[in-house]
Amino acid sequence: MNIAKIEAIPFAIPYRKPLKFASGEVHTAEHVLVRVHTDDGLTGMAEAPPRPYTYGETQESIVAVIDKIFAPQILGLSPLEREAVHARLDRTVGNPTAKAALDMALWDILGQAAGVPVSGLLGGYTDRMRVSHMVGFAPAAHMVAEAERIRDVYGITTFKVKVGRRPYTDDVDACRALREALGPEVELYIDGNRGWTASESARALHEMADLGLTFAEELCPADDVLGRRWLVRQSPVPFIADESATDAAEVTRELLGGSATAISIKTARTGFTASQRVLHQCEGLGVEMVMGNQIDGQIGTLCTVAFGGAHRSTARRAGELSNFLDMTDDLLTEPLSIEDGTLRIREGAGLGFAIDPDKLARYRQDA
C-alpha cells in the first residue's frame, strides 16, 4: 500500500457572523480539503485551516506547497512510513497546517486499512469529550446571550472567552457579566491572542481574581520575553501557551523558560504524530493540556476529538470542539452533533467520515 495521489482542494464556507479576536477576525472558512489516495483504493482525508495572522499560511500557499513541494516528495511512500514522510516534509520550514493535514490523512488511511477508528490506534481512552465553546468579541450583553444560548441548546458548560481589547476593562466587564449570568457551576477561561501588554494582563487578572477562571491563554506576546515571564510568575491560574508553542521544541522553550505553565494542543497544526510527542512531553513534565481549536470545520473537529478522546490527559478537560456551529454549512454527509455538552468520536474505520460530493462541488474554489 503506497501513496499514489494527493489532492489539495480549496473550499470556502461563510460564517453566520464574523468571529472576532485580538489577532484578527474571520468572515469565511477558507480552508483546504486534503485527500491522500493509495494504490489499493483507500483515501484518507483531513482539513487544513489557514491562519495567516498566526502561522503565515494562506489557502493559496497551502495548496501550492502540497502540490508543488510535499506531494512530489512523498508519493510512492507507504502510509506506514510516517517518520520518512515527516523527514521529507520537515525539509521545508513552516507550513504547519499543511503538514498536519497530510499527517492526519495518513492516519485515516491506517485506520481504514486496519478496520478500526483512528482514536483506537492513538490510545482509545474514551468515546467522547466534553465541549468548550469560544465566545468572541462583542458587547458584553451579546456575549452573555450567546453563552446562554449555547448552554441551553447544547448543554455546554465550559466557555473560552476571547479577551485582549483596549481598554482591558471592557473584557473584565464582559467576563464579570458572563460569570454573573452563568453562575459558579460554569467553567470560564480567557484567551488574549497576544492582545495585551504584560502589565495590562496583570491588571486584568488581578481584577478578575474573584471570577474563578480556570486558565489564562496567550494574554501577551511570548516575544516580550521578560514581560511574559514576569506575568506568568504571578498568574493565579495556569498560563497556556498556544500559538507560541506550535511544536515540541517551542513547547520545551516556553515551559522551561517560564513563559507558560500549560499547553494547548491543536491537531490542525501538529497533526496526530507531533501532537502525541507534545502530549507525552507534557505528561513527563506534569503540565496540564487542553485540546484547542483552529476555528476548525467539522472535519478538523473530528480530528481534534479523535485525538483528545484517545488520551487520558487530554480527555480530562473540555475540548474546544464547537466552532463549526458558527459555519453556515459543512462538507460532511453526516454532520456532527453535540448532545448534553459532549461530542462523540466516530465509530467507523479511520476518522469515520465521508464528504458530500454535491457540497464539495458547491463550495470548492478551484472548479
Side-chain angles (χ1 to χ4, degrees), residues 327-348:
M327 293 173 62
T328 55
D329 202 353
D330 217 288
L331 301 180
L332 301 190
T333 57
E334 182 185 352
L336 301 187
S337 176
I338 298 172
E339 299 177 356
D340 298 324
T342 65
L343 182 65
R344 293 180 64 94
I345 297 166
R346 289 287 167 90
E347 296 179 353

Side-chain angles (χ1 to χ4, degrees), residues 305-329:
V305 72
F307 183 91
H311 304 92
R312 177 176 54 181
S313 297
T314 45
R316 287 194 186 110
R317 295 206 171 271
E320 297 166 13
L321 303 167
S322 65
N323 280 156
F324 70 87
L325 296 174
D326 291 317
M327 293 173 62
T328 55
D329 202 353

Side-chain angles (χ1 to χ4, degrees), residues 30 45 83 143 146 166 172 231 306 316 341 348:
E30 295 179 331
M45 293 182 284
E83 284 296 302
M143 296 170 71
E146 178 189 356
R166 289 189 173 94
V172 172
L231 174 65
R316 287 194 186 110

Side-chain angles (χ1 to χ4, degrees), residues 264-333:
S264 175
I265 296 177
K266 290 182 176 177
T267 56
R269 70 169 173 237
T270 41
F272 295 145
T273 301
S275 291
Q276 275 201 322
R277 290 174 178 153
V278 170
L279 179 143
H280 294 150
Q281 183 179 8
C282 291
E283 286 180 333
L285 292 170
V287 171
E288 286 194 86
M289 293 159 275
V290 295
M291 291 306 301
N293 193 296
Q294 204 68 27
I295 319 182
D296 303 318
Q298 294 192 26
I299 300 170
T301 301
L302 273 175
C303 292
T304 301
V305 72
F307 183 91
H311 304 92
R312 177 176 54 181
S313 297
T314 45
R316 287 194 186 110
R317 295 206 171 271
E320 297 166 13
L321 303 167
S322 65
N323 280 156
F324 70 87
L325 296 174
D326 291 317
M327 293 173 62
T328 55
D329 202 353
D330 217 288
L331 301 180
L332 301 190
T333 57

Side-chain angles (χ1 to χ4, degrees), residues 228-242:
R228 173 79 164 246
R229 292 176 182 174
W230 170 81
L231 174 65
V232 171
R233 280 197 301 269
Q234 62 181 293
S235 175
V237 294
F239 196 100
I240 295 174
D242 176 10

Side-chain angles (χ1 to χ4, degrees), residues 7-18:
E7 296 178 277
I9 303 171
F11 67 94
I13 299 175
Y15 288 102
R16 301 182 193 280
K17 59 179 177 60

Side-chain angles (χ1 to χ4, degrees), residues 140-190:
H142 294 182
M143 296 170 71
V144 167
E146 178 189 356
E148 289 179 327
R149 179 183 65 83
I150 293 295
R151 179 196 58 188
D152 295 343
V153 174
Y154 299 102
I156 294 172
T157 56
T158 301
F159 294 91
K160 173 177 179 172
V161 186
K162 291 292 187 179
V163 298
R165 291 178 286 190
R166 289 189 173 94
Y168 74 89
T169 51
D170 287 351
D171 288 327
V172 172
D173 293 342
C175 289
R176 189 166 300 282
L178 284 162
R179 174 57 76 203
E180 291 174 355
L182 300 173
E185 67 278 3
V186 165
E187 189 173 355
L188 297 178
Y189 60 106
I190 56 174

